[in-house]
Amino acid sequence: MVVQRHGAGRAGAIAVAALVGGVIASAAGCGASSTEVASGGTADPAALVRGAADRLVAAGSSKATTSMEMATGGTRVAIRGQGTYDFRHRTGQLTVVLPNDAAGEVDHQPITELLAPGALYMKNRGAGVPANKWVRVDTAALADGNLVTGGVTDPYTAAELLRGAQGVTYVGEEELAGVKVRHYRGSAVLPASVAKGFSKGAVPFDAYLDEAGRLCKVRQQFSYVNRGRPVAVASTTLLYAFGAAVSVRLPDARDIFDGKIQP
């Protein structure tokens, strides 16, 4: 699938800044079908974790649930999302729910986010945007590569980050939504292209793989720089129902808003 590249650069940047900035200011299981990782943790744990993204591509698709928790000034808030993701085309659709008051409203309307290579599309994001319009963000222009500023971590990006895994240890076998998974812990070196957006160059993580080596859960702890201050961000991604149907239609040019978004 080809990402449409047009418009909304300025509006998109404002929308993403508003999404995270506003939140900070307001302060069916993974099925296993093979024995690829049936070594009980005796295989090289770093190699298993680094290959997680490739095994997701082989799986094709899944349903996804995301949670992003931010702590600043003693206040903790969370942004939650749910939807589907196609790992082969790197496209997905999530419905994202902001916490009460995150955007200055008690009942803020859920945001629809379309994820695509190099782009993030958002509907219902930002005052001043018509209800039938989308905001497009060029994620390559974001200092963090959209690991945190979109309010969710792209599931494939979360898995790809594990390619830089180091100091990986096998914690043990656990149960996740009724399925046995193997828990690994370590840290991942951030790519140079996004490291500038964070106060630390490595991201601690906990990754949970099923018996086929597919990533079922990953929790990554970022230290994000916001207005010159580090903000603790914990991103958790759950992947399940592998092979689920995914249908993502990117907006046409006429449906993308490039006007001014009210703060």
Side-chain angles (χ1 to χ4, degrees):
M1 183 174 293
V2 178
V3 177
Q4 303 170 22
R5 298 186 176 277
H6 43 252
R10 179 174 175 274
I14 295 174
V16 170
L19 179 57
V20 172
V23 170
I24 292 173
S26 70
C30 302
S33 59
S34 81
T35 57
E36 227 178 279
V37 196
S39 58
T42 58
D44 179 4
L48 293 174
V49 170
R50 289 169 186 159
D54 294 331
R55 287 188 289 273
L56 288 179
V57 172
S61 63
S62 77
K63 292 184 178 181
T65 299
T66 68
S67 173
M68 187 168 288
E69 299 177 346
M70 303 181 186
T72 179
T75 302
R76 183 177 295 275
V77 295
I79 303 173
R80 306 190 185 281
Q82 188 169 8
T84 56
Y85 196 90
D86 182 330
F87 296 101
R88 290 174 181 164
H89 295 97
R90 294 188 59 180
T91 58
Q93 178 168 327
L94 297 172
T95 299
V96 179
V97 179
L98 301 180
N100 288 347
D101 301 326
E105 303 175 27
V106 175
D107 295 313
H108 188 66
Q109 192 172 7
I111 300 168
T112 300
E113 293 196 4
L114 302 182
L115 308 173
L120 167 66
Y121 299 84
M122 297 181 288
K123 181 177 268 190
N124 300 326
R125 178 58 239 158
V129 181
N132 62 338
K133 293 291 186 179
W134 294 83
V135 173
R136 183 189 184 279
V137 178
D138 181 1
T139 55
L142 299 175
D144 73 320
N146 198 35
L147 283 169
V148 301
T149 56
V152 299
T153 300
D154 180 303
Y156 185 75
T157 302
E160 276 232 301
L161 192 60
L162 297 177
R163 294 189 190 278
Q166 59 182 11
V168 181
T169 59
Y170 174 62
V171 178
E173 190 174 89
E174 300 180 20
E175 190 172 287
L176 179 64
V179 175
K180 290 183 179 179
V181 293
R182 294 185 172 86
H183 180 185
Y184 298 89
R185 180 172 294 153
S187 62
V189 178
L190 286 165
S193 59
V194 302
K196 59 182 178 295
F198 299 91
S199 59
K200 297 181 180 178
V203 175
F205 69 81
D206 285 87
Y208 302 77
L209 310 182
D210 68 8
E211 291 183 357
R214 297 175 300 201
L215 186 66
C216 294
K217 177 181 178 180
V218 59
R219 180 176 174 84
Q220 295 160 320
Q221 300 179 62
F222 302 96
S223 182
Y224 175 65
V225 179
N226 183 68
R227 298 177 183 175
R229 293 188 310 170
V231 178
V233 179
S235 172
T236 302
T237 304
L238 293 172
L239 304 173
Y240 53 98
F242 291 103
V246 179
S247 178
V248 177
R249 182 182 181 281
L250 301 185
D252 294 327
R254 64 179 178 274
D255 296 323
I256 296 177
F257 178 74
D258 197 18
K260 183 178 180 180
I261 299 176
Q262 298 175 19

